[in-house]
Amino acid sequence: MWKFLIFILAMYIAYKLFANDFLKKRKEDANAEKEEMERKEACGEMAKDPECGTYVAVDGSISVRDGDKIYHFCSYDCRDKFLKRLEAGGRVLPRQDGNDN
């Protein structure tokens, strides 16, 4: 009988130790996820540069409008390469200096 009670007590203590670790880990994961979301929100909306594949912030990026579509670029060089590639394919978009926002 004593062995059974000691076994139950040991199991209870082990449960409490592991349950507290599990709950603490879950809380840390939730906090880390919340911080990640806040960091992403602070960065603002990102767009992929169609020429080099770099992600740039939409606010303050170099952009070109093609009808309803807006292309965002990391540099004027990427923008010029993109426009030259379109011109070689037979399409011409107006060159724009500065932001198109």
Side-chain angles (χ1 to χ4, degrees):
M1 175 74 175
W2 284 104
K3 289 181 183 180
F4 180 71
L5 290 176
I6 292 173
F7 177 74
I8 295 295
L9 180 63
M11 293 301 292
Y12 177 75
I13 291 171
Y15 166 76
K16 282 300 215 178
L17 287 173
F18 289 114
N20 284 338
D21 287 344
F22 176 74
L23 292 174
K24 184 178 178 182
K25 173 74 172 155
R26 222 165 114 196
K27 188 175 182 180
E28 288 173 356
D29 289 345
N31 286 341
E33 185 175 322
K34 182 180 177 183
E35 289 174 3
E36 178 71 15
M37 289 299 294
E38 288 174 355
R39 185 184 66 76
K40 285 182 180 178
E41 289 173 1
C43 292
E45 185 181 353
M46 303 291 282
K48 189 174 183 178
D49 183 325
E51 190 62 31
C52 67
T54 303
Y55 284 91
V56 295
V58 171
D59 297 337
S61 67
I62 301 163
S63 56
V64 172
R65 183 181 302 271
D66 179 19
D68 292 337
K69 178 85 172 142
I70 299 176
Y71 297 100
H72 298 275
F73 301 94
C74 65
S75 68
Y76 288 106
D77 290 334
C78 282
R79 182 202 61 183
D80 292 340
K81 288 177 188 176
F82 179 77
L83 291 174
K84 284 179 185 175
R85 189 166 43 98
L86 285 180
E87 288 172 3
R91 286 195 66 200
V92 178
L93 296 178
R95 290 188 184 263
Q96 301 171 2
D97 291 324
N99 294 339
D100 189 38
N101 295 334

